[in-house]
Amino acid sequence: MSPSPKPSSNPALAYGTGVPPDLKHLHLEMLRIRVIERRIAERYREQEMRCPVHLSIGQEAVAVGVCAHLQPADKVMSAHRSHGHYLAKGGNVRAMIAELYGRADGCCGGRGGSMHLMDRDSGFWGAVPIVGSTLPIALGLALADKQCGGNARTVAFFGEGATEEGVFTETLNLACVLRVPLLFICENNGFSVYTPLAPRRSPDFRFSDYVRSHGCHYFSGDGNDVEAVCRVTGEALAAMHADPGRPCVVEFATWRYYEHCGPAQDDHLNYRNQAEIEHWSMRDPLAISRARLIAAQPGLEAELDLAEQRQRQDIDAVIEAVRAGVRPSPETLPRGVFAP
Ligand SMILES: Cc1ncc(C[n+]2csc(CCOP(=O)(O)OP(=O)(O)O)c2C)c(N)n1
């Protein structure tokens, strides 16, 4: 996996709005993200990556299905669980891994780690782990584009936990009042760290009603089916196109397979019930797309296996190249803290 050329060479990005997504490309892109995150999980135990990691294993379909509609000039912001969004938007792999390893050639100079990714050349405008904090920044990006007469799309990815921060309501409201066409993508994986939705929301709460009552479009879909994500995102973009200036929230139901933060699975902690775990384990986004592809074309099985093998070799080569790199020198520590 050599550093991706800029602008992005992400194959999924060739599938702009209106073009039916190619399931094989979408699957391979999800697989690439899965392989990279699995390798991060495996290598994390060596304790050379010194930053916390929030893996999105299980949530790849949302990142890939949404970004399949975007071009490099479109802008994306994310939060603490951002590897999938960064990669699906065409972010440079080598710069991301270098960031996790704290190397000077990391996408944030090795100072930020996993939770502070950025690759503006590919339209990934940043990730920040303060929950909800990137929502108003995304609104600012979309507002600037509107004021300058641009036609880039701006997308904010966030978890459902961020909707419980006041800043979500403020951003949603301002987007509606100022008529800023921001696309909010809410990945509802059902948990904020260890807390499920039930104790966090009244049984009467309807997120769709809440969003619509502000004057915003609302759509929802199966976040573990990449074709469904693509379809619903396309519908959301079409609704925004038909009614310029009205923002849109799309909520995708999904599930993370690993712990909230860290390289392991934590289902033994029993904060998620067995029935839910079994339900979602039968709905792995990669298993779904692979089964569909092979049912349509049985000969693809060997090709997909080979692709996975190559992706593993690629990420291993990137990791070894990154490990040979240098750390930022202490003299550069204040860089980026104070304006010159
Ligand atoms: C303002 C703020 N409050 C609390 C935290 C601690 N925290 C980090 S991630 C997280 C849960 C966020 O859940 P969600 O937004 O649904 O994203 P997920 O982790 O499920 O992807 C919390 C509470 C934080 N980083 N920022």
Side-chain angles (χ1 to χ4, degrees), residues 132-148:
S133 66
T134 44
L135 297 172
I137 302 173
L139 176 63
L141 289 173
L143 177 61
D145 196 66
K146 179 183 169 173
Q147 288 177 339
C148 296

Side-chain angles (χ1 to χ4, degrees), residues 186-260:
C186 176
E187 287 178 86
N188 186 346
N189 64 16
F191 287 82
S192 177
V193 190
Y194 297 121
T195 312
L197 279 171
R200 290 153 53 198
R201 290 181 179 177
S202 149
D204 299 326
F205 181 77
R206 296 284 172 273
F207 184 55
S208 52
D209 293 348
Y210 182 81
V211 166
R212 287 191 181 117
S213 70
H214 283 80
C216 186
H217 293 295
Y218 172 87
F219 290 82
S220 62
D222 179 351
N224 278 28
D225 176 342
V226 73
E227 289 184 297
V229 172
C230 256
R231 190 182 59 249
V232 174
T233 304
E235 286 166 10
L237 289 168
M240 292 171 79
H241 184 71
D243 185 1
R246 193 180 294 276
C248 184
V249 171
V250 187
E251 181 181 17
F252 288 112
T254 185
W255 188 256
R256 66 172 154 75
Y257 288 138
Y258 280 46
E259 59 192 327
H260 165 68

Side-chain angles (χ1 to χ4, degrees), residues 54 59 80-81 129-131 158-162 165 187 189 191-193 200 256 260:
H54 299 76
Q59 301 187 195
H80 52 286
R81 203 175 302 287
I130 307 302
V131 173
F158 53 98
E160 89 292 340
E165 295 286 348
E187 287 178 86
N189 64 16
F191 287 82
S192 177
V193 190
R200 290 153 53 198
R256 66 172 154 75
H260 165 68

Side-chain angles (χ1 to χ4, degrees), residues 15 29 41-42 70 80 201 213 221 255 283 288 300 325 331:
Y15 295 84
E29 184 60 356
E42 287 156 10
L70 305 180
H80 52 286
R201 290 181 179 177
S213 70
W255 188 256
R283 296 206 43 75
I288 291 172
L300 267 185
E331 302 81 63

Side-chain angles (χ1 to χ4, degrees), residues 31 133 168 187 312:
L31 187 61
S133 66
F168 170 72
E187 287 178 86
R312 276 205 212 115

